[in-house]
Amino acid sequence: MATIQNLILTLILFSNPVFSRFTDFTCIGFNKIGDNITLNGSAEIEKNGILRLTNQTNRLLGHAFYSSPVKFKDFVNGSVFSFSTSFAFATVPEFSHLGGHGFAFAISPSKDLKGALPSQYLGLLNANDMGNFSNHLFAVEFDTVQDFEFGDINDNHIGVDINSLESNASEPAAYYDFNSTKKNVTLKSGETIQAWIDYDSTTNVLNVTISPSSTKPRIPSLLYHVDLSPIFNDYMYVGFSASTGLLASSHYIFGWSFNMSGLAKTLDLSSLPSLPGRKKSHKILAIGVSSLATLALFFLIGVSVFLIRRIKNADVVEAWELEIGPHRFSYKELKRATKGFRESGLLGVGGFGRVYKGVLTKSKTQVAVKRISRESKQGVREFMSEIASIGRLRHRNLVQLQGWCRRRGDLLLVYDFMSNGSLDKFLFDERKIVLNWEQRFNIIKGVACGLLYLHEGWEQVVIHRDVKASNVLLDGELNGKLGDFGLARFYERGSNPSTTRVVGTLGYLAPEVSRTGKATASSDVFAFGALLLEVVCGRRPIEPKAVAEETVLVDWVWEAWRGGRVLAVVDQRLEGVFDENEVVMVVKLGLMCSNNVASARPSMRQVVKYLDGEVGLPEVVIPPLGNEGGKCGGDGKLDFVVDLYESSSIEDMSMYSVKRNEGTDTSFGLGSASVKTSPHPLLPDGEETR
């Protein structure tokens, strides 16, 4: 009986045009669409028939979905049907060339998209459901803001998004003409652009094509192989979603064609409604150019001179800058705070530029201002990396980024001022006071807590990639805080870290990173192990041979441990005043963290438990290195790099730094390493000096 009822229900569904597989419609403007479209948020149909998803209001979202669900899957075998759509759109930014954020063609199990957020989420998802398989969301985004959190390739691209705003595939916005020549398209130009999205279920190929004309190019702008069967439900809703952020754009759809039985109709752009005033403005421009050319020329010259004078000292504002969480300071404000970046307020000089002490005029708060030099290799991408997500990190053992500023070639970061500077100065600078053991142990525990927060306590996994003494800052009470996130990388939990360029500091750089190019939480633990030994011994992880016979600290400590002379490695400046049990525990933990085998190292959660005394350390310590020859990394390569600089002075020298370009070459050449100075810990030491 139940089988007969299911059969009858299936026949009813197939006979109902709403649930028919062969959904096919074309809208030349949206005046006559009636109840066939559902609008949410700011979306509305204007009098001339144009569908406007958002207006030029900040943090807005708009949805427009075909009201009836569309049958996308075969009931028998569960495969997805082929589908095709075309539509004409325009994005008109509030400010020229500053788009925010973009829109997407979406196929969703719901036309409400409840809980979705504007800004970088395009009105599709929110931070909590990013990447969830249960979303059953497919979208093709037309993005006008480069969001580094989602790994966007630029601020003018198309992308395929499945259950997430991290695109599975993306390409810069462009099309191929009939000569197969690639031509760029500016999505936020305000001009009408046509898009075609075609999915072939027999080959599992998705083609996305765009063009500023009524003719569909033969070569797609983006081609992506994907089986959508696991993504789609039997019935889904089709439509559009758009959003704005701190900068806004109006997103318009002029016409829309959708077909489940063949290719969607290509739209004739000349037959579609146009934006009010656009044609009129073209006529006015033509008249002005032809009859008032001389007057316009003088006018433009006058305006140019005026603008040049006005913007000479003005701050540069781009779209991505207004999407960043921390406070954006004006250049004038920071210049006043540092008294014109006076040399008397200089805290340090490094590879990325200079750090100045400043006092904010209004709040009287002391800050450290890192002014990145124009010649620095830390460009806008690295600058963004340090502020876009780092500004949202909150922990008592992390140096807080208060804000930032960009003015032409000047990039500036504003941090909490750490009155006692960096840990390395206390360990290696004879002019500094000597930290007693209690202070050192407290600093170690603080840094461990900060790293645990980065690895497990935040919404993403944060790999610092440059843990070392010069990046540990001390406040007025000598509490340790981890700073300098210029090399940090963010990963979703459970994801596999991607291969990237090898950056870091020799002596702190885990051996597997140089082989695989993948930085992990375990590689941070390796660096923390070097820091532990550094704090106990008062020696750098790698000392030039002119200073000490033992060039690699972990080798020297291991030999002392194996020979039962563990207390002999303790910093002589402590004059024998320390807790022996704590010292032995820290040395043992440092050797465990320094193991060449990543899987043999403890996690930061285990490290914190050891330091807090919640659990005891294992009785046996595995040799930290893979050989007995004292070669860090076990392959001899590190000694080659160190030997290059054995005659270098170590005064004010932070450490040897190495950087490798992306690729498979894991060798360390003369051009890939350099000795560098870092008088202040706010300066990223993972780059070369000039």
Side-chain angles (χ1 to χ4, degrees):
M1 186 66 180
T3 304
I4 296 175
Q5 289 177 341
N6 290 336
L7 179 60
I8 294 174
L9 178 60
T10 302
L11 292 174
I12 293 174
L13 290 175
F14 273 105
S15 63
N16 190 334
V18 170
F19 293 98
S20 172
R21 166 188 169 183
F22 303 109
T23 302
D24 182 7
F25 59 84
T26 299
C27 303
I28 306 300
F30 293 84
N31 275 336
K32 299 180 180 180
I33 197 168
D35 295 333
N36 288 325
I37 195 165
T38 301
L39 305 178
N40 287 319
S42 62
E44 63 178 2
I45 298 174
E46 299 185 336
K47 293 181 179 180
N48 58 2
I50 297 176
L51 169 60
R52 185 175 69 178
L53 296 171
T54 63
N55 54 45
Q56 293 179 350
T57 302
N58 297 342
R59 298 193 178 280
L60 201 65
L61 60 81
H63 300 145
F65 279 86
Y66 189 64
S67 296
S68 301
V70 178
K71 184 176 185 296
F72 271 94
K73 296 182 76 170
D74 189 325
F75 282 148
V76 178
N77 56 29
S79 62
V80 170
F81 299 126
S82 299
F83 63 88
S84 175
T85 188
S86 66
F87 48 89
F89 67 91
T91 299
V92 181
E94 181 180 7
F95 302 103
S96 179
H97 307 302
L98 297 177
H101 258 267
F103 81 98
F105 169 78
I107 300 178
S108 166
S110 169
K111 56 186 176 182
D112 297 329
L113 297 177
K114 293 181 179 179
L117 297 177
S119 298
Q120 70 266 37
Y121 296 99
L122 300 183
L124 295 171
L125 297 171
N126 58 51
N128 294 325
D129 54 22
M130 282 284 294
N132 293 342
F133 185 78
S134 60
N135 293 335
H136 294 286
L137 176 71
F138 166 85
V140 175
E141 67 177 26
F142 299 81
D143 203 341
T144 56
V145 171
Q146 184 174 18
D147 194 292
F148 285 81
E149 180 181 354
F150 299 149
D152 288 349
I153 56 175
N154 62 20
D155 62 350
N156 185 58
H157 65 273
I158 55 178
V160 177
D161 301 339
I162 297 177
N163 294 325
S164 172
L165 271 302
E166 290 186 19
S167 297
N168 298 73
S170 61
E171 290 288 342
Y175 73 99
Y176 293 88
D177 63 16
F178 283 99
N179 295 320
S180 298
T181 301
K182 188 176 184 179
K183 295 188 175 182
N184 294 329
V185 174
T186 302
L187 297 176
K188 49 182 175 277
S189 65
E191 300 298 327
T192 302
I193 301 168
Q194 186 163 188
W196 296 262
I197 301 172
D198 304 305
Y199 178 70
D200 187 339
S201 62
T202 59
T203 59
N204 290 335
V205 171
L206 177 75
N207 289 327
V208 182
T209 310
I210 61 173
S211 173
S213 71
S214 301
T215 304
K216 183 178 181 180
R218 293 174 298 176
I219 303 175
S221 305
L222 184 155
L223 185 149
Y224 181 53
H225 291 270
V226 58
D227 181 6
L228 294 178
S229 298
I231 309 302
F232 284 4
N233 292 335
D234 292 343
Y235 293 97
M236 305 281 281
Y237 290 91
V238 296
F240 303 93
S241 177
S243 70
T244 63
L246 294 180
L247 284 178
S249 292
S250 294
H251 299 95
Y252 298 97
I253 307 295
F254 303 106
W256 181 21
S257 178
F258 184 86
N259 197 321
M260 286 295 297
S261 59
L263 290 178
K265 179 181 178 181
T266 292
L267 303 174
D268 180 5
L269 300 187
S270 63
S271 66
L272 299 176
S274 59
L275 293 177
R278 183 161 293 273
K279 292 182 179 179
K280 181 179 178 181
S281 64
H282 290 171
K283 293 179 180 178
I284 293 175
L285 178 62
I287 294 174
V289 171
S290 61
S291 62
L292 301 174
T294 304
L295 180 61
L297 178 62
F298 281 108
F299 174 75
L300 289 174
I301 292 175
V303 170
S304 299
V305 172
F306 173 76
L307 290 177
I308 289 173
R309 290 177 179 176
R310 286 292 302 273
I311 68 174
K312 184 177 181 180
N313 291 312
D315 297 342
V316 177
V317 179
E318 293 188 11
W320 54 263
E321 298 183 64
L322 298 181
E323 292 300 320
I324 301 168
H327 176 67
R328 186 180 192 273
F329 291 93
S330 69
Y331 181 79
K332 183 178 180 180
E333 188 177 3
L334 296 183
K335 186 175 181 181
R336 185 185 300 116
T338 58
K339 297 182 179 179
F341 301 100
R342 285 186 184 178
E343 291 296 314
S344 59
L346 184 65
L347 296 174
V349 181
F352 281 165
R354 299 184 166 208
V355 177
Y356 297 86
K357 180 181 178 180
V359 179
L360 299 178
T361 305
K362 294 181 179 179
S363 63
K364 304 301 180 183
T365 303
Q366 290 186 325
V367 293
V369 181
K370 179 165 71 173
R371 188 178 189 181
I372 300 171
S373 66
R374 300 186 186 187
E375 292 77 20
S376 168
K377 290 190 176 182
Q378 185 185 35
V380 174
R381 180 177 293 272
E382 287 78 7
F383 182 74
M384 276 292 298
S385 171
E386 194 161 355
I387 60 180
S389 295
I390 301 303
R392 294 186 287 154
L393 297 175
R394 294 289 187 276
H395 192 274
R396 64 182 181 278
N397 295 114
L398 300 180
V399 178
Q400 183 61 50
L401 176 66
Q402 290 196 11
W404 57 281
C405 171
R406 188 165 88 96
R407 171 184 172 269
R408 292 184 292 179
D410 288 317
L411 308 176
L412 301 102
L413 299 178
V414 182
Y415 290 94
D416 286 342
F417 177 71
M418 297 289 105
S419 57
N420 277 309
S422 60
L423 174 61
D424 64 327
K425 299 306 174 187
F426 285 88
L427 296 178
F428 310 124
D429 191 340
E430 296 294 337
R431 295 167 292 182
K432 288 280 188 180
I433 63 172
V434 178
L435 295 173
N436 61 41
W437 174 250
E438 183 180 357
Q439 292 167 332
R440 298 188 191 205
F441 192 59
N442 182 60
I443 292 169
I444 287 171
K445 292 172 69 174
V447 175
C449 290
L451 269 177
L452 175 60
Y453 170 77
L454 295 179
H455 291 178
E456 300 184 24
W458 201 54
E459 60 190 47
Q460 290 178 293
V461 177
V462 184
I463 311 300
H464 188 278
R465 300 208 302 171
D466 206 16
V467 178
K468 56 185 175 183
S470 61
N471 284 338
V472 175
L473 286 85
L474 306 179
D475 63 15
E477 298 178 353
L478 294 175
N479 295 308
K481 299 189 178 187
L482 186 60
D484 193 347
F485 292 84
L487 301 180
R489 288 293 179 269
F490 293 72
Y491 300 105
E492 293 297 331
R493 301 197 178 280
S495 65
N496 186 26
S498 58
T499 302
T500 183
R501 59 182 180 175
V502 174
V503 293
T505 305
L506 295 183
Y508 300 91
L509 192 63
E512 72 271 8
V513 176
S514 64
R515 296 192 301 269
T516 66
K518 294 184 178 182
T520 64
S522 183
S523 59
D524 272 357
V525 172
F526 183 92
F528 182 73
L531 176 66
L532 290 176
L533 299 180
E534 210 172 2
V535 171
V536 172
C537 304
R539 292 194 181 192
R540 293 181 174 86
I542 302 174
E543 293 278 13
K545 290 182 179 179
V547 175
E549 182 179 347
E550 299 81 16
T551 60
V552 181
L553 178 59
V554 67
D555 291 352
W556 179 62
V557 174
W558 170 247
E559 290 299 327
W561 178 277
R562 189 169 59 176
R565 297 176 287 104
V566 63
L567 296 182
V569 305
V570 180
D571 190 349
Q572 294 182 0
R573 295 197 297 170
L574 290 175
E575 298 180 345
V577 181
F578 51 81
D579 186 310
E580 292 188 7
N581 292 330
E582 288 181 350
V583 165
V584 172
M585 184 262 288
V586 172
V587 171
K588 193 173 185 179
L589 187 56
L591 292 173
M592 291 170 59
C593 293
S594 299
N595 200 290
N596 258 13
V597 181
S599 60
R601 301 169 201 149
S603 67
M604 285 311 303
R605 180 167 296 279
Q606 292 173 309
V607 168
V608 170
K609 287 184 177 180
Y610 291 142
L611 292 173
D612 286 341
E614 293 183 17
V615 294
L617 288 168
E619 292 297 325
V620 180
V621 177
I622 303 173
L625 299 178
N627 62 353
E628 296 296 328
K631 306 291 186 181
C632 185
D635 55 10
K637 293 177 181 176
L638 178 58
D639 289 56
F640 168 71
V641 179
V642 174
D643 288 344
L644 292 175
Y645 300 103
E646 59 182 315
S647 61
S648 301
S649 169
I650 65 165
E651 183 177 352
D652 291 331
M653 185 176 72
S654 167
M655 186 48 59
Y656 309 90
S657 297
V658 61
K659 173 181 177 181
R660 188 193 74 186
N661 292 329
E662 296 183 18
T664 57
D665 180 18
T666 59
S667 63
F668 293 101
L670 180 60
S672 65
S674 65
V675 176
K676 50 186 296 301
T677 62
S678 179
H680 195 275
L682 290 179
L683 297 172
D685 295 333
E687 298 278 356
E688 307 103 20
T689 52
R690 298 285 172 183

